[in-house]
Amino acid sequence: MSTLSTDDRRDASRRMAIAAVLLLAACLAAWLGIHGNRAPPAAGPEAPAEAFSAARAMGVLERILGDQRPHPTGSAANAAVRDAIVTELQALGLDPQVQRRFACGGFTCATVDNIVARVPGASPDDAVLLSAHYDSVAAGPGASDDGAGVAAIIEVARALQAGPSPARDVWLLLNDGEELGLIGAEAFTREPEFKRIARVVNLEARGTTGASLLIETQAGNAALSRLLRESLARPAGSSLEYEIYRTLPNDTDFTVYRRGGLAGANFAWARAPARYHTPLDDIAHLDPGSLQHHGDHALSLARAFAAAEPPVAGDADAVFFSLPGDVMAGWPVAWNPALLLIALAPWLALGWRLVRNQSARAIALPAAGAVVVAGLGVLVVAGLLGHLLLRTLGAMPATWTAQGAAMVAFFVLLAGGLLVPCGWVVRRFSGEAALAWASLLPFALVAIATVLWMPGGAHVVLLPLLIGAVAGHVAPRRPVLWAGLAALPAALLWAPYAEGSYDAVGHEGLVAVPVVTGLIMLPLLPALLSLRRGMVLATAGGWLAALACALLALLQPAFDADVPRPVNLVLVAGPEGSRVFAQSRAMLPGGFFRDTGFARESSPMHPWGGWGLAGPLGPALPAPAVMIESHEVIGDRQYLQVRLRSPRGALEGGLMLPGTVDIGSVRVNGQPLAPSRWHAGSEPWRRISVVGLAKEGAVIAFELPVGATQFHAFDRSHGLPEQLAGVTAARDGIGVPIGSGDVSIAWSTVPFPQTTGAGAIRGD
């Protein structure tokens, strides 16, 4: 029987104390990283006149939205919001102009009413643009998306006038038609004012709360990032957000401005996404702190952009990221290869040094690295299987549900339950130093990948690798310490993505949570395993807590007052009759099917697709009227000009054209479609629509190969006929509309003429 000497006991106690401090410090770093993605406190009405006040902006928003009706483009409610905005700007002594223009987005055209005003500066050239859209979707009042942005800009205009005059003009654009496809922004790029503008700040939202994150800049953003670091009082977001954002199928008005050559910044918040584009996007659910953050960003950048020299075109990008203490740090992307070398070299040298001083065997390092990488692979598989299990058991009946927090916790805890035993195996057979060194291997591998393919995200791996490697050379015989120090920046930078992936993507984002959490935990494994019974407690506790969270996710109702079930009703009336369909990405309760007679399996709603659950028959609707005004065949191409009208006066109408149509040839009332990423690819049908159909209709011209036999015409109006009030009431009992909301569609099929010339065809 052996006993530890006094020195050994003292050393063991010291190691345990260091391990405990590192674990607590890592938890604090993770909390700070997540807390940095929270909105600041809202300023009250007593805030200084030259400062932004969320309380004052909320008052503006309440006056603008009035009774908080949905106000899509072309509606009477949207006209009322437009007039209220004009009144607010006039009360500030500004001279707002309403620019009514017909313009086109990628597939939709509309007459929009953009509101433009100017806060005069010392120079009219190289001006600043503050932009937000005031139209909403048909399903919700749009308090957050994007009434908050409008109110913030109006309050910023007031604050600018209360302070020193800006060095350059600041233009305010409160545009229309964003929800239809960025149409108001497209229209403004053709105005003479646009040519005077050099920089833009765009305000958006994808939820009702959260920090105002810098989600987008533009290529060649090195100079801009320096200006942002100097100007933003409470920065949030990073260049990794921009890297992620531009891989997603999302566009905002900033897309149009960037394409038009403007430099600038795009801000949005993205918490509580289940309320996005629903009736819960109202003033009651809007976080005043988020509004404050928007306004602080817009006001500080309006002043900074106005005072700065005009932007110079360049191709130099930057890495930038926010840190605790309201600091934005960063460096030029061009430094990434050198920083990678500076981080990799000491890490590799540390491995050689550990072997040299006999802290680890030469064979132990690659063996430990292989097990660590395999452990992360296990976490990837665990994420997939955990997602499949919870989804199969019914915990994920929609993209976002009320048990989101429990599911995030389950996947975080899953990482600990699996990774800690993996670390114990490495420590048992390869030693503590080999485990510590191998815990940095994934950071080295990801650092190489990001520097090559996603340079704006390099900081999240370069900093932990660099700090761990340098600390290892300072104290090579204390692997618990130097690996734990690497975990601090990892926790600070990675924790927001582990915690926020669900809000950002929905339940599919949960798959990545275990491996992201694993990257944070890897450098902490030596510290955790140094504690008495650390492996047993962490593993058993992790699994028990994960099980509890999984049970909570399964037992907690998926939908509640704050996270409603999204369901739209669509009346489709065609030549073969009229029927109501239910559309939802959420599972519907069985009682809804029994009470309403809706089918449980989806079926096509019309010839070009559009699937839904077939329900009761509906009233007939008059078909859209189509006249082919000209048709010409040249070689293997045919050219048509079609006039479309809505006999029932629907707000929107359009054509479903064969996928072979040349999108670049389409003209709607003489206007071409705006460039769009959605033009690429092959689709069986292409939708071209017009919102705000005039009595005389809309003229659509297009070109496509000879051989197509028919196309389809449709018109669409918001809401369902009164005869279907019972169906609407049944839906209201289990869910809320989302996005475009409930609609009534009438359609007809139109054959292509077989000869050249003009003819009149009415679809019926």
Side-chain angles (χ1 to χ4, degrees), residues 174-207:
L174 310 173
N175 69 67
D176 191 10
E178 191 272 350
E179 299 291 0
L180 298 177
L182 321 179
I183 296 176
E186 292 285 357
F188 185 68
T189 61
R190 300 198 292 266
E191 300 296 332
E193 296 92 338
F194 187 79
K195 296 180 176 62
R196 291 186 172 275
I197 294 167
R199 292 188 176 97
V200 60
V201 178
N202 189 63
L203 302 181
E204 260 292 358
R206 189 175 163 271

Side-chain angles (χ1 to χ4, degrees), residues 441-459:
L441 173 60
F443 293 92
L445 297 176
V446 178
I448 294 170
T450 55
V451 168
L452 291 175
W453 296 296
M454 192 179 277
H459 61 286

